[in-house]
Amino acid sequence: MKRLITFFQFLLLALIAQGQIVNPVRFTSQLKQLKGGEGEIVFTATIDEGWHVYSTEMGDDGPISATFNTVKMEGVETVGKLTPRGHVTKQFDKMFGMELRFFERQAQFVQRVRFTKPHYTIDCYLEYGACNDEMCLPPTEVAFKTEGTAKPAEAQSATEAATAQQTATEPTATPDTAAAAPTPVPADSVASAAASDFATLAAPQDDDLLTSADKVTDHSLLYILLMGFVGGLLAVLMPCIWPIIPMTVSFFLKRAKSDKRKGIRDALTYGGSIIVIYLALGLLVTALFGSDTLNAMSTNAVFNVVLFLLLVVFALSFFGWFEIRLPEGWANAVDSKASETTGLISIFLMAFTLVLVSFSCTAPIIGLLLVETTTSGNWLAPALGMLGFAVALALPFTLFALFPSWLKQTPKSGSWMNTLKIVLGFIELAFALKFLSVADLAYGWHLLDREVFLSLWIVIFALLGAYLCGWLKFRSDEVGGELQRPMPVVCIMGGLVSLAFAVYMVPGLWGAPCKAVSAFAPPMNTQDFNLNSKVVEARFTDFEQGLAAARAEGKPLFVDFTGFGCVNCRKMEAAVWTDPRVADLLTKDYVLVSLFVDDKTPLAEPIEVTDDQGTHTLRTIGAKWSYLQSHRFHANAQPFYVLLDGNGRLLSGSRAYDEDIDAYIDFLRQGLTEYRNRR
């Protein structure tokens, strides 16, 4: 229950955070003096639930790494590199194409130092990056200043001294952001902005429009529950379960002849027992792996390879190559035990017998469901998925026991059950490729790039369409040595839909977005042959230049606060900006400026700004844009979008991460309407 409360607290934070200042990470810092004239500068972080802080040395193309930076060091020198401590989580990220390392709940970063004089002065800061599933913070500094006395370290050898000096003076590696930016910002344009001018530019906006930023709601748990329910309904229609329903219901009806209430109670107990058994299975998965492990599973390469092989086995089982069965002795033992006992225990054992007997049909469906839930990264997912599955499975047994006349209207067992199994086999085979794709990206095999993935899906769904139309037959479709009669109209219509879906994916081989499968296919950057060259790029990466251009051209200004290491920014650009309607509005009706808050390019001259929280020194271009966002627009998470007129005033509410294209278009059109009204 505590974990459930924590989850909804995090969800509430995500809803409130859009358009407001968030502070999910709190640091404390101290200097510990050690023996031998050495010490440690320790930065300790407390991280809110749902957020994570990236570790050190993530590489030039990765997210914001934790780095140690010095402003002034007298009588002391650094020894070695910044060292992270704590439980690190490793996950492969498709957007960055690399394994990410980050900390949750708590983290510690330690920089070892050596005292060279009796009196020392330390002025330094830790820079770090933090993200959650919907937003990222700009590079954030944790300042540390102290001075005092310490016993200097003993004389070092020449080699050690040279190594220490090299380490102390070595600049911290930072991303080559000048090369990565769409339009590099000239150093002269930055130097021309005096501190006083920037303070005026960054003056806070008191406009109430800032409070109307759109909110993002997370429906993943409801989706998992519904997915489990659909899986349970499919399981009911399997040949291992559907024929059992009349026999089971007749058993309860016989017991109800003498006492109708007792019969109803037994039927409800039977359905409830099925729910308890499958719910216990979901809870067992969570208990065995734990929330952290389930979260890491979603991108673990080895685990995804195992899931791929497992789903292929399930698909082959549905195709009729072999049948997955539990040892017969298990079901016989439970069945005999149910016959020997009486009361509620016997009914529970009957439900358990059903679970064992139907394993050959339900295992592939349950396997696919558990695979999806465990890789969702949510610790509640397996239990919710199994709850939905069990409710759907128990529903017909309970309803038919309560209303036995309904049984006369149900279809009889027949070949349609085998057809359903074959269809599910194709679907399992398609889903299996999704998990192999994760492993392929993790190891860099390049065996399943986007066009290869789409080619396989085209073949799978084309064969599924051919099967439903009756052009393809399996061995299990043969009855008495002769093939079945032509497929019914419903199957043929389904086959046409599957064939149409296969044709829909064909343009994806040449770079078409194919948004319907974008959640499953590898990212576009894995495609070797791509004819789609239409991308939306910012004209400016400097706010002053963009504002001047908007004023001169008589257009509103679209300000995109983004980051080189912002995953959700790339998602928005790939999923929303590529829409032709959005692209036309951004390129034709707006002047688009992207401000990278993690741009490490040094300013020609540091800018000192003073606000209610004191005096701040802005040393980089990214720090300048980060301060502009937080101070002027009262937000510090990316992506963050605002629409301004030529005087820099807001036109409409701000917007954050939300892949609703229609809502995004409304946001842009509202800004245009307000701009024209003001003119």
Side-chain angles (χ1 to χ4, degrees), residues 44 107 212 276 300 377 418 422 471 507 545 629 679:
T44 304
S212 64
V276 169
N300 182 274
N418 183 72
I422 300 295
W471 307 329
Q545 292 179 357
Q629 181 190 0
R679 296 196 68 185

Side-chain angles (χ1 to χ4, degrees), residues 232 235-237 240-250 252-253 263-264 266-272 274 278 350-351 354-355 358 390-404 407:
V236 169
L237 302 177
C240 298
I241 295 180
W242 188 258
I244 301 177
I245 295 177
M247 294 186 294
T248 306
V249 172
S250 63
F252 288 118
L253 291 177
I264 295 175
D266 291 346
L268 293 175
T269 303
Y270 185 76
I274 295 175
Y278 282 108
M350 285 178 59
L354 170 71
V355 173
S358 62
V391 169
L393 186 63
L395 201 57
F397 290 94
T398 306
L399 289 178
F400 288 140
L402 295 175
F403 308 100
L407 272 174

Side-chain angles (χ1 to χ4, degrees), residues 62 159 219 222 257 263 366 369 478:
T159 303
H219 299 292
L222 179 61
K257 286 183 178 180
I366 294 174
L369 180 61
E478 298 181 5

Side-chain angles (χ1 to χ4, degrees), residues 20 60 316 328 344 469 501-502 516 544 633 639 667-668:
Q20 297 183 2
D60 292 348
L316 296 177
E328 292 184 4
L344 299 180
C469 289
F501 183 61
E544 294 96 329
F633 301 108
F667 166 67
L668 295 174

Side-chain angles (χ1 to χ4, degrees), residues 18 21 218 374 544 555:
Q18 311 294 337
I21 297 294
D218 188 354
T374 54
E544 294 96 329
K555 294 181 179 180

